[in-house]
Amino acid sequence: MSTKLPSDSFAHTLATGDLTALFLPGRGMLGASFRHRGEEILRRVDDLVVAARKGSTAGIPLLHPWANRLAGFQYRAAGQKVELDRSSPLLHLDDQGLPMHGVPWTLLAWEVLNAGSDHLLARLDWSRSDLLAVFPFRHRLEMKATRQRLPPIASHWKQH
């Protein structure tokens, strides 16, 4: 089965041996595919276009600036009270209408700093005013994905 991907001109594939991984820096640095001998290992990646439109989690996402659900539309962090705008397009809401999983991966474009056949390094600069309205602390995240040949799994097993 093939995966339907949202547009990302910076999509980057890493491969080693029987494994391939696809990352979408322009779409939250999403780990969009992880295949072993051509077979997809990840769940919920069949149609990432639909997942992106719905704001659903998929693949291997970085849930930022919070994971899981908030109890309401205000929280405290670093001694600061934050009031979220219920109508913000940067919020994904759960079935009960509560903010969930931070800013949707589709809305977080990472800057590719360096990419090669064996690595991908990207940065998310949290300084835009719309992002600061959700989490008012300027910061930068860097994520590096690398390919690395792993020894056969059986070599790590020990009989007890």
Side-chain angles (χ1 to χ4, degrees):
M1 174 180 283
S2 67
T3 300
K4 294 179 188 171
L5 296 171
S7 175
D8 185 348
S9 59
F10 298 106
H12 192 76
T13 300
L14 301 174
T16 184
D18 294 336
L19 299 172
T20 60
L22 173 67
F23 292 90
L24 303 178
R27 297 298 187 130
M29 196 60 175
L30 181 75
S33 177
F34 189 59
R35 294 180 179 268
H36 179 256
R37 296 182 181 157
E39 184 177 337
E40 184 61 61
I41 296 170
L42 299 179
R43 295 180 48 198
R44 302 179 66 178
V45 295
D46 296 344
D47 195 339
L48 292 174
V49 173
V50 169
R53 188 171 46 247
K54 292 166 93 177
S56 302
T57 57
I60 305 170
L62 174 66
L63 305 178
H64 190 70
W66 63 82
N68 216 330
R69 290 160 182 80
L70 295 180
F73 286 86
Q74 50 183 263
Y75 65 90
R76 291 191 74 77
Q80 186 172 338
K81 181 179 176 185
V82 179
E83 184 83 31
L84 297 173
D85 176 357
R86 292 173 184 264
S87 65
S88 172
L90 294 182
L91 295 180
H92 175 70
L93 306 180
D94 70 6
D95 294 337
Q96 285 73 47
L98 294 173
M100 179 172 77
H101 298 328
V103 175
W105 54 271
T106 56
L107 302 177
L108 296 175
W110 290 61
E111 173 190 5
V112 175
L113 301 176
N114 197 317
S117 62
D118 64 344
H119 70 281
L120 172 62
L121 176 63
R123 176 188 303 146
L124 176 64
D125 189 359
W126 198 274
S127 61
R128 293 186 341 227
S129 61
D130 59 340
L131 296 175
L132 291 169
V134 172
F135 189 73
F137 305 98
R138 291 181 189 274
H139 61 281
R140 286 191 185 132
L141 299 176
E142 287 189 4
M143 186 183 303
K144 184 174 185 179
T146 61
R147 75 170 194 210
Q148 179 179 357
R149 184 170 296 279
L150 300 174
I153 293 172
S155 69
H156 295 291
W157 292 352
K158 293 182 180 177
Q159 289 185 337
H160 295 274

